[in-house]
Amino acid sequence: MGTLAAMLAQSQESKINLNMKLLSFISSLFGKAKTTSQDILQIQKEGAEIAIERAKLYNFILNYSENSIKYLDKVLTIIGKEYAITKEKKDIEGFSIIFGLYIIEVIERNHEKGYLKRKLLGVEHDVFPYHWKGNLIFPCAWVQNIILDYNAKDI
């Protein structure tokens, strides 16, 4: 029993540390009024790495393969179920960003690169539109819709 209690305490500590890292990441992201393309690229990489760490808390390994998107769907389903119980929206924006950035990294590592922006012309808040192969997609918004169960389809 002592081992289980220690594992649970360690898991809780990992979750707290990761939440602090996520909060720090989001704060640094929104702390800048203007971002350069180099800033965006760094945000993309760091966000994807935090997503990988977060998925580990749910015992899923994300490795940037196309197949890992199936595991991402499972992670998002779990987070969505947690949200349905707690109704805690404070972490949803952060999860949406990091897991959306992970999707972009998967696209770029397995296909061709696109271009991530922080804002969309005419929209006041950050929506992280991603320009890829002549299309404009919104992975972060898709992730948020999955978590909040707004009938979003699997990626």
Side-chain angles (χ1 to χ4, degrees), residues 48-147:
E49 287 297 320
I50 294 171
I52 288 171
E53 290 178 47
R54 187 65 194 204
K56 286 179 186 173
L57 292 176
Y58 297 103
N59 296 315
F60 288 100
I61 304 296
L62 301 180
N63 61 6
Y64 299 110
S65 69
E66 288 183 348
N67 196 46
S68 72
I69 296 298
K70 293 176 192 173
Y71 300 117
L72 176 60
D73 277 335
K74 291 178 182 189
V75 170
L76 297 178
T77 298
I78 293 168
I79 292 171
K81 287 178 181 177
E82 289 175 352
Y83 168 74
I85 293 167
T86 65
K87 297 295 183 199
E88 285 286 329
K89 272 195 163 181
K90 66 179 181 177
D91 293 331
I92 300 299
E93 184 175 82
F95 291 150
S96 300
I97 293 170
I98 63 169
F99 289 115
L101 295 174
Y102 176 79
I103 291 168
I104 291 169
E105 278 293 304
V106 170
I107 290 169
E108 291 192 350
R109 289 177 184 221
N110 293 284
H111 299 285
E112 60 188 67
K113 294 198 180 295
Y115 183 77
L116 176 67
K117 287 190 166 187
R118 187 171 155 188
K119 295 192 180 280
L120 187 61
L121 190 63
V123 178
E124 282 187 34
H125 59 280
D126 297 326
V127 293
F128 297 98
Y130 183 64
H131 302 268
W132 186 67
K133 293 179 93 171
N135 296 301
L136 184 60
I137 57 177
F138 298 87
C140 298
W142 173 83
V143 168
Q144 186 170 23
N145 287 340
I146 286 289
I147 293 171

